[in-house]
Amino acid sequence: MEPDQTPPPFAPPPPPMPPSAPSPGPQPLKVHGPKDERMWAMFCHLSTLSGLVIPFGSVLGPLLIWLIKREEYGLVHDQGREALNFQLTMLIGYLISIPLIFVCGIGIALIVVLSILDLVFVIIATIKANEGVCYRYPMCIRFVR
């Protein structure tokens, strides 16, 4: 290099990277925006509490909302299906608990535990749906896909 030339203070930026294809792995949870969509998704979870006053209301509530609004809102399609699957899982747990009351007496404790878990997870799912987050219940059998 000649004495009168100084090196540039920094190197030019590298060329931009080409966009890559999305990975087939698990996708991050999407946050959805429209207020009505989030409200109906929240109702999918809250409607499970109708089972406290209506026989099988915990399954019928999310089923009806999901069937009516699933074509209109993507979040309702996802969360209605999730609420329905969880309530079907809980229903199976309750049905297993009933004979266990008579067989070994542990059925009452199992019903109490299932009821507490059901209530806690429904409250968490309701809050997440209101925030627009796709919530996944733990310990849930995916009957409806």
Side-chain angles (χ1 to χ4, degrees):
M1 199 183 262
E2 297 178 16
D4 59 341
Q5 291 181 346
T6 59
F10 55 88
M17 298 292 293
S20 62
S23 65
Q27 300 296 321
L29 296 177
K30 294 181 181 178
V31 176
H32 297 271
K35 189 175 182 179
D36 285 346
E37 183 176 31
R38 290 182 288 133
M39 178 191 67
W40 281 107
M42 182 181 70
F43 286 158
C44 285
H45 297 288
L46 281 178
S47 66
T48 63
L49 299 177
S50 66
L52 298 172
V53 292
I54 301 170
F56 299 103
S58 61
V59 174
L60 293 176
L63 177 64
L64 290 175
I65 293 174
W66 180 64
L67 288 174
I68 293 170
K69 294 292 185 178
R70 70 180 172 179
E71 300 295 327
E72 192 174 344
Y73 301 116
L75 183 63
V76 174
H77 179 66
D78 179 68
Q79 292 303 289
R81 191 176 51 205
E82 190 68 21
L84 182 60
N85 282 329
F86 184 68
Q87 292 307 315
L88 288 171
T89 303
M90 289 290 107
L91 180 63
I92 290 172
Y94 291 130
L95 292 176
I96 290 172
S97 300
I98 292 170
L100 291 177
I101 293 172
F102 304 108
V103 173
C104 59
I106 191 112
I108 294 174
L110 188 57
I111 288 174
V112 170
V113 169
L114 285 174
S115 299
I116 291 170
L117 288 176
D118 192 4
L119 182 64
V120 168
F121 288 139
V122 165
I123 291 170
I124 292 170
T126 300
I127 292 169
K128 293 295 184 182
N130 191 37
E131 293 171 355
V133 176
C134 293
Y135 180 74
R136 294 288 173 253
Y137 285 99
M139 304 176 296
C140 179
I141 302 170
R142 311 270 184 245
F143 295 105
V144 181
R145 295 186 185 257

